[in-house]
Amino acid sequence: MGKSINMGIRDMRWYTYCISAQQQSFNKECKAGMGTLWFNGSIYTMVKENDQVEAVFTEKGVIVDTGSLDHLKNEHAGNISREIDLKGQTMLPGLVDSHLHLVGHGERLLRLDLSLMDSRESIMKSLREKCLKTPAGKWIVAEGWNENEWPRPELILRDELDAISADHPIVLKRICRHALVVNSRALLEADIKEDIKEPSGGVICRYPDGRLNGLFKESQAQNLILDSLSGIDQEYIENALTEAIEDAYKLGLTGGHTEDLHYYNGFMPTYQAFKSVIEDREMAFRANLLVHHEAFEEMLAAGGGYQKGTRYIKFDSMKIFTDGSLGGRTALLSEPYVDQKNTNGVAIFTERELQEWVKKARAAGMPIAVHAIGDLAFEYVLNAIEALPPKKGQRDRLIHAQIVRPELLERAAKLPVIFDIQPGFVPSDFPWVEEKVPADLLESSYAWRTYLNLGIICAGGSDAPIEPLNPILGIHAAVTRMKINSEDRTVYGLSERLSVFEAFALYTKGSAAAIGQEKRRGVINKGYDADFTVFNLDVFAVAPDDLLKAEAVMTVIDDKIMYDKN
């Protein structure tokens, strides 16, 4: 079978991305109307818990029939051109990440990754080594620092970075991507003066003596730096996308709801990169593009609209940010932070400004997808949806939905909304989040079980590159609410754990519902898209911790095998 190729950047082998002769032959046969029989595995439909079928017949990218192997062989004998023996492995509907930044994930794979470095000293050492290997004047961009994982959570600031290099502009992005820190050379390259005024919705931090300390929070402030980065061209974006999609295949992901259109030279270059990689190079991947509010007008001018696009690429909801992150204390809470009483976070927009953006989305017939981590930000979004509901049949999306008061949940349960949650935030955020967020607000927060019990549809994502892209890690977190590879065996929120079926449903049925495709994707059933994820073991028959041993061995998109480890 065709294997996914790990395409390097330097030799640009993505130009010759290929599939095996067998798959090429199959693609030709598909055009002639021939089909595929999938059998000899544990095939879970996800229609309901423990529901299995013995075999599946697909044709032209669609599931035509399911049932016993003998029945399908007899019923479709004249149309079976390919038989896939699953060899006892486990097949599910294709897993989809409901919230990620695909280009950003590719960047993380290409850049210096700080996320696994557990101290400021290890980061400083890596930066020194990187500077020695990098020509003077070239930007050094590193991803993923998280001071909450260090023995001493003292930030690396401008003066420390200056001591490493005055010849390289250095940018360190925090793991949440809501904060970054730079050295003096980066400030010079970005033409930022000491007396710069703080933009609305952004934070520019200073030393006690009034000097800039290099820390910028939220996009309105961060873009003052990021807009000066060199090397963000079409080739760069396509390289990052190629790396990201290759990685997604290996993790069993058949699609993702991704938000990238504002950050890489604007809407059109990024959209063209998606089309070049996914459509022109035949790297099939179901990409639903959330449209950042600042890319919205460009999307409309280009003739885009909700659920318009190409075979694999569709425009989705308008993406709006209402607050920041808990780690950076910019998530908007209704009470002050426990460890910093002089702030309750940052409101990216006033309520009036937020509703103006919602009006624009409604005028274009689009739902909204709103980043809301703090409970006050969440309240602002509910107010907007109640005042300006989506058109009938559409659902708005509340992304993250972490800190939520009980009365807000009751209001949300009455609205056409989906909670786009990131289960991996539980092992990442605890226990340090307990030191920042008031205890009364945490009582009903990260409450996945409560959300489902209230009848709120939930979709599951990673927020990669903020968290690892691997969906198994998110599923394990939803089921156990425990850290992995740690001496800390605490269960953070015992009553909020999900069953294995419910956890996988976040990444199948939940992700399909988030884009209004629940009648076409998310389960293995007649008339649904032929997207499958095959694992090496039966994920419904192992102990929760053994889920971490699950490994994707085949990824199928539109009836095409895009990755085959066997």
Side-chain angles (χ1 to χ4, degrees):
M1 306 308 299
K3 292 186 181 289
S4 174
I5 310 290
N6 184 16
M7 295 168 283
I9 295 305
R10 279 175 286 184
D11 60 7
M12 306 296 284
R13 273 184 277 166
W14 38 256
Y15 278 117
T16 57
Y17 176 84
C18 63
I19 53 179
S20 69
Q22 182 179 354
Q23 285 176 262
Q24 292 175 3
S25 174
F26 167 67
N27 290 342
K28 292 178 182 178
E29 289 168 347
C30 274
K31 293 178 181 178
M34 306 300 279
T36 305
L37 184 66
W38 309 80
F39 66 98
N40 190 28
S42 298
I43 303 176
Y44 288 91
T45 70
M46 293 297 294
V47 172
K48 59 184 179 180
E49 191 163 6
N50 295 321
D51 189 52
Q52 296 186 58
V53 293
E54 188 177 358
V56 177
F57 176 68
T58 60
E59 189 174 16
K60 296 181 180 178
V62 176
I63 298 169
V64 175
D65 205 354
T66 66
S68 72
L69 180 59
D70 288 343
H71 167 73
L72 295 188
K73 278 190 171 183
N74 292 331
E75 186 72 15
H76 304 283
N79 288 329
I80 299 173
S81 62
R82 182 176 68 161
E83 296 188 5
I84 303 297
D85 184 346
L86 296 171
K87 302 175 183 178
Q89 298 172 129
T90 298
M91 188 166 86
L92 302 176
L95 302 190
V96 174
D97 190 306
S98 68
H99 183 65
L100 75 156
H101 307 272
L102 203 58
V103 179
H105 178 62
E107 286 184 293
R108 181 174 178 175
L109 296 173
L110 297 173
R111 289 175 171 172
L112 180 60
D113 185 2
L114 309 178
S115 63
L116 298 179
M117 299 182 190
D118 58 3
S119 70
R120 67 200 308 274
E121 290 77 19
S122 60
I123 289 175
M124 302 277 273
K125 179 182 177 183
S126 296
L127 286 172
R128 290 190 188 95
E129 294 172 352
K130 184 71 172 178
C131 288
L132 290 174
K133 300 175 183 177
T134 305
K138 293 287 187 181
W139 285 79
I140 292 176
V141 182
E143 302 268 353
W145 57 269
N146 183 0
E147 77 282 4
N148 294 305
E149 300 295 330
W150 304 346
R152 294 181 297 114
E154 299 171 16
L155 298 182
I156 300 171
L157 298 175
R158 173 186 177 182
D159 289 346
E160 287 92 342
L161 294 179
D162 285 349
I164 291 175
S165 177
D167 298 324
H168 302 86
I170 300 175
V171 181
L172 308 186
K173 294 184 178 182
R174 194 180 186 280
I175 192 167
C176 62
R177 284 203 163 191
H178 286 267
L180 59 77
V181 65
V182 300
N183 66 348
S184 294
R185 181 61 183 269
L187 294 176
L188 178 66
E189 295 288 338
D191 195 27
I192 293 176
K193 306 293 193 295
E194 291 288 348
D195 61 353
I196 187 172
K197 293 183 178 179
E198 192 168 85
S200 175
V203 178
I204 298 177
C205 301
R206 297 178 180 272
Y207 288 115
D209 65 3
R211 290 187 307 123
L212 297 176
N213 68 9
L215 188 62
F216 293 72
K217 297 182 179 181
E218 301 310 321
S219 60
Q220 287 82 343
Q222 292 184 97
N223 286 342
L224 298 171
I225 298 291
L226 298 178
D227 288 347
S228 298
L229 282 177
S230 60
I232 306 297
D233 55 17
Q234 199 73 4
E235 179 181 306
Y236 175 92
I237 303 169
E238 291 181 12
N239 287 344
L241 271 175
T242 300
E243 289 291 309
I245 293 173
E246 281 287 306
D247 195 44
Y249 290 159
K250 295 172 186 175
L251 297 172
L253 289 169
T254 61
H257 310 164
T258 180
E259 196 256 300
D260 307 275
L261 294 175
H262 173 58
Y263 311 106
Y264 306 96
N265 301 328
F267 165 80
M268 190 53 72
T270 310
Y271 181 50
Q272 290 293 350
F274 270 89
K275 291 200 295 183
S276 175
V277 172
I278 293 176
E279 299 288 0
D280 297 346
R281 296 177 199 159
E282 298 184 348
M283 289 185 69
F285 189 76
R286 299 200 189 274
N288 282 76
L289 308 183
L290 298 179
V291 183
H292 191 288
H293 68 277
E294 291 190 28
F296 176 68
E297 297 293 343
E298 289 183 81
M299 184 270 295
L300 292 180
Y306 182 56
Q307 294 190 339
K308 291 183 179 180
T310 68
R311 181 177 181 88
Y312 297 114
I313 306 166
K314 303 293 183 186
F315 295 116
D316 200 70
S317 308
M318 177 195 278
K319 170 68 180 293
I320 307 172
F321 286 85
T322 56
D323 67 348
S325 72
L326 292 169
R329 299 185 191 85
T330 52
L332 188 63
L333 306 179
S334 58
E335 302 175 32
Y337 280 82
V338 173
D339 61 344
Q340 196 167 315
K341 296 290 188 181
N342 64 341
T343 184
N344 69 320
V346 175
I348 304 298
F349 296 113
T350 66
E351 281 205 80
R352 182 175 179 179
E353 290 169 336
L354 174 62
Q355 293 200 17
E356 286 301 314
W357 282 112
V358 177
K359 285 180 183 177
K360 291 182 179 181
R362 302 309 191 215
M366 293 178 71
I368 56 173
V370 190
H371 168 113
I373 289 181
D375 66 308
L376 188 53
F378 191 95
E379 184 175 354
Y380 287 175
V381 180
L382 291 188
N383 292 344
I385 295 172
E386 288 170 345
L388 300 160
K391 65 189 295 185
K392 187 175 181 180
Q394 291 182 352
R395 299 187 187 96
D396 290 326
R397 188 189 308 215
L398 287 112
I399 300 172
H400 305 315
Q402 285 165 253
I403 310 298
V404 188
R405 305 192 306 274
E407 66 270 21
L408 299 180
L409 289 176
E410 293 174 6
R411 286 171 58 187
K414 299 175 184 177
L415 296 174
V417 298
I418 281 181
F419 283 10
D420 190 341
I421 63 173
Q422 289 65 54
F425 283 3
V426 170
S428 266
D429 291 1
F430 286 87
W432 63 258
V433 72
E434 296 171 330
E435 300 171 359
K436 295 181 183 295
V437 177
D440 61 314
L441 293 182
L442 278 177
E443 287 179 2
S444 56
S445 297
Y446 299 81
W448 321 142
R449 160 64 57 203
T450 297
Y451 300 169
L452 293 180
N453 287 348
L454 285 169
I456 297 170
I457 299 172
C458 293
S462 64
D463 203 10
I466 311 307
E467 295 289 336
L469 184 60
N470 189 350
I472 287 296
L473 296 181
I475 288 163
H476 179 267
V479 172
T480 68
R481 297 179 72 97
M482 295 172 63
K483 293 181 177 294
I484 60 173
N485 302 323
S486 172
E487 294 180 1
D488 181 1
R489 303 303 292 168
T490 305
V491 177
Y492 294 101
L494 180 67
S495 63
E496 297 295 343
R497 293 183 301 179
L498 302 186
S499 70
V500 175
F501 175 78
E502 290 167 331
F504 273 96
L506 297 176
Y507 295 81
T508 52
K509 295 194 285 189
S511 290
I515 55 172
Q517 295 295 312
E518 61 267 45
K519 294 183 179 179
R520 184 170 177 174
R521 295 179 198 153
V523 300
I524 295 176
N525 207 350
K526 295 180 183 180
Y528 282 66
D529 288 339
D531 297 348
F532 310 120
T533 302
V534 181
F535 286 105
N536 61 330
L537 53 79
D538 188 334
V539 292
F540 296 107
V542 298
D545 273 344
D546 287 337
L547 285 170
L548 297 173
K549 299 176 183 177
E551 183 180 3
V553 293
M554 186 183 294
T555 303
V556 182
I557 302 169
D558 205 22
D559 228 357
K560 304 168 187 172
I561 298 175
M562 304 308 297
Y563 173 70
D564 184 4
K565 188 178 179 181
N566 294 318

